[in-house]
Amino acid sequence: MASNINYNVSLLSKRLRLPPVMGAHAEAMYTVLSDDSLYKYTGGSPPQSVVDVEKWFGALESRKSTDGHELWLTWLIFTVEGETAIGYIQATVENSKADIAWLVGSKWQGNGYASEAAATLSAWLAASDIDRISAHIHPNHIASKLVASAAGLHSSGQMEDDEEVWQN
């Protein structure tokens, strides 16, 4: 596991602030996560209740996998001027490798927020001595490919579990 990562740090970009996720954020994110259209390319389904989100976020508060081999780092996405959570960004870190993912609510898509958050996360990971960053993207998800590109990733041409692997 990457030993020099301060994983309880908040990240900040020009337009966004990214605090580490906490169980207490569940209510704020439930409405965002309840949109069926967000699962078109990722699979799964919306959470059934705020309690489901609270359990999920509560499990992420430790920032570590149950076996302790991975860091599970998740930040909420807020606009700098806003008090409403608009999505999240996350990194699963093992040794000097990270796999990143993002989600921005439908209402806020198309504004470059996911790209800005992913670029901010990638820069922070690189500064934390993570030398390999990747993302897994559905081949038809054009918007996520643009986000990955903004984060400095490119298609590797490899597929894993029916998703394209993008990496730095």
Side-chain angles (χ1 to χ4, degrees):
M1 187 177 336
S3 60
N4 62 335
I5 291 186
N6 177 3
Y7 47 80
N8 284 313
V9 66
S10 290
L11 306 177
L12 188 63
S13 69
K14 183 178 179 181
R15 300 181 303 153
L16 304 174
R17 59 186 176 82
L18 310 166
V21 73
M22 305 282 283
H25 291 128
E27 194 167 335
M29 279 297 293
Y30 176 69
T31 302
V32 174
L33 296 171
S34 295
D35 181 352
D36 283 324
S37 70
L38 295 175
Y39 304 90
K40 178 179 180 179
Y41 295 110
T42 61
S45 58
Q48 297 299 303
S49 69
V50 173
V51 173
D52 290 343
V53 179
E54 190 173 73
K55 287 179 185 176
W56 175 37
F57 283 5
L60 293 174
E61 280 187 52
S62 73
R63 316 288 184 243
K64 295 179 183 175
S65 61
T66 52
D67 65 9
H69 288 102
E70 296 176 331
L71 293 178
W72 290 350
L73 310 178
T74 304
W75 294 264
L76 289 190
I77 302 172
F78 292 86
T79 60
V80 171
E81 68 277 351
E83 293 299 318
T84 302
I86 64 170
Y88 67 83
I89 187 135
Q90 58 189 177
T92 301
V93 179
E94 187 173 10
N95 299 319
S96 62
K97 299 176 185 173
D99 192 59
I100 65 173
W102 49 84
L103 177 139
V104 169
S106 298
K107 180 177 175 180
W108 300 277
Q109 291 178 5
N111 293 297
Y113 295 136
S115 293
E116 187 171 332
T120 301
L121 176 58
S122 289
W124 179 80
L125 288 167
S128 300
D129 295 329
I130 302 301
D131 57 17
R132 205 69 176 138
I133 301 171
S134 62
H136 293 74
I137 301 172
H138 188 283
N140 297 331
H141 200 320
I142 304 304
S144 276
K145 291 178 181 186
L146 294 171
V147 172
S149 182
L153 307 181
H154 62 276
S155 176
S156 69
Q158 299 173 345
M159 298 289 287
E160 287 181 12
D161 298 324
D162 297 323
E163 293 181 313
E164 247 181 283
V165 178
W166 285 62
Q167 57 194 22
N168 60 346

